[in-house]
Amino acid sequence: RTLLKQHLRTDYNIGLSGEVYDTPLHHQPIFSELDDRPLPGAEWLCARHVCLPLYPALSAADADYVVESLAAALARDDLREVTSGRITAG
């Protein structure tokens, strides 16, 4: 995800936020009683998600640019690991 964020910022001038979601809920202080166990689905997702730009003044053209830029970035071989992996129960 870091490579993807860097690439989008450098090559397309798109900043992806979402760092507030980088820590899974079971590692948040309010849920400390759950922090004694691994929750691999939550950990996997928090390590790989991105938050696309979304705000009231975002134009349709800007939204299209973000989607097209993201698609182009994900098609790159050097960013392939961003989309690899699966969440499995268990």
Side-chain angles (χ1 to χ4, degrees):
R1 181 181 50 146
T2 302
L3 287 175
L4 176 63
K5 284 181 159 183
Q6 290 171 352
H7 177 65
L8 287 173
R9 182 170 298 283
T10 302
D11 292 359
Y12 299 100
N13 198 30
I14 296 173
L16 299 180
S17 62
E19 285 77 16
V20 295
Y21 304 113
D22 284 353
T23 303
L25 283 179
H26 66 291
H27 292 306
Q28 299 287 343
I30 191 75
F31 296 110
S32 61
E33 72 276 359
L34 300 173
D35 198 20
D36 63 344
R37 68 199 84 186
L39 294 174
E43 292 161 2
W44 184 93
L45 187 61
C46 285
R48 289 167 179 81
H49 83 285
V50 294
C51 293
L52 298 177
L54 179 63
Y55 50 93
L58 184 70
S59 70
D62 287 343
D64 288 342
Y65 178 73
V66 169
V67 170
E68 291 165 7
S69 300
L70 180 61
L74 291 174
R76 290 175 49 132
D77 286 339
D78 60 336
L79 295 175
R80 209 48 87 191
E81 79 280 356
V82 172
T83 59
S84 65
R86 301 256 187 253
I87 297 176
T88 57

